[in-house]
Amino acid sequence: MYKLLLVTDRDEVRQAFLKIDNWEEMMFRPVTMIEDVEEAIDYLESHAVDAVGYSIANAPVAPLHQYLNNRPSLPVFQTHKHDDTLRRELMDISRFLGRMHSDDTDEYYDEQTVLNMLRDELMRQLIREEISSREQLLSRIKLVRANASATMACYLYDFDLPQGEVYLADRWHYGSERLESALRNNFFGRYIDDVYYDVAVLTPRHIRVFACPRFNTEKNNDEIQQAVQARVRTVLESIKQYLDLDLDLEQMTVLPNLFALVRETEET
């Protein structure tokens, strides 16, 4: 059974959680609720919790933000004041925690490694425009503790591989997933100079690179864009040198924020 902590001084949020009467069916113990931020931090210091959610209206929330920043492997969930959206959120949290704590593999991964894997999975789905609502994206960003800004401009590069089919069949031999992993891990990296990068090999002819600022960067959009453009130029030269792979830029798109990649935005 998973243990949740809800930190809120909002009565409507608290009442929504109190209406839930099937915690065990969703693999949860009854949620622990705390109103005071400092009391919640003390609780987290002395109790094991699988995920925490918070909504504070009448007190500074910065101490809790700082505390959670120092615990990057602790999932954070969205709070809701409506019964139907809350139940959907809880089911998503349960599925997420089930994957995070899954032991159906012979390999051991610590929580931070699993979170990194789930974060990469989310970003790949975002790049492929497989996220179906703004609400879903915001929820999953919090759960995987994605260190990406939800408000600043992001950058999308679409590349054509003129000989992509031939390259994958005759020269690379490892398949598109291994190529995607190599480009992400060995060339672009993840967090470089306050920017999160990810890569998706959409087809043998189409590679997409996504760049999004860190949520706490002190750089402005112009500085981020210059850094991204310089990084992409450098990486393309390295890919050509080490993989003998030509990527022809078809389009660079400046997105107002990462929610622009949501396929169908739903108002909540």
Side-chain angles (χ1 to χ4, degrees), residues 161 167 179 183 207 236 239-241 243-247:
L161 283 69
Y167 183 87
L179 177 60
L183 293 175
I207 288 180
L236 290 182
I239 291 172
K240 172 62 178 175
Q241 178 181 355
L243 297 184
D244 194 23
L245 178 62
D246 290 304
L247 277 69

Side-chain angles (χ1 to χ4, degrees), residues 106-139:
D106 293 333
E107 298 184 68
Y108 170 75
Y109 297 107
D110 60 33
E111 289 185 348
Q112 189 58 54
T113 299
V114 175
L115 268 183
N116 286 338
M117 294 166 62
L118 294 173
R119 187 180 299 129
D120 288 343
E121 177 184 284
L122 170 60
M123 288 302 174
R124 284 196 298 275
Q125 290 176 330
L126 183 62
I127 297 172
R128 296 172 183 271
E129 300 182 57
E130 296 173 350
I131 305 298
S132 60
S133 75
R134 183 187 181 95
E135 177 183 295
Q136 179 191 23
L137 177 57
L138 186 58
S139 173

Side-chain angles (χ1 to χ4, degrees), residues 5 40-47 49 64 67-68 71 74:
L5 172 63
I41 293 173
D42 289 342
Y43 184 90
L44 287 166
E45 282 289 286
S46 57
H47 295 78
V49 169
L64 183 57
Y67 180 84
L68 293 173
R71 293 189 60 179
L74 177 61

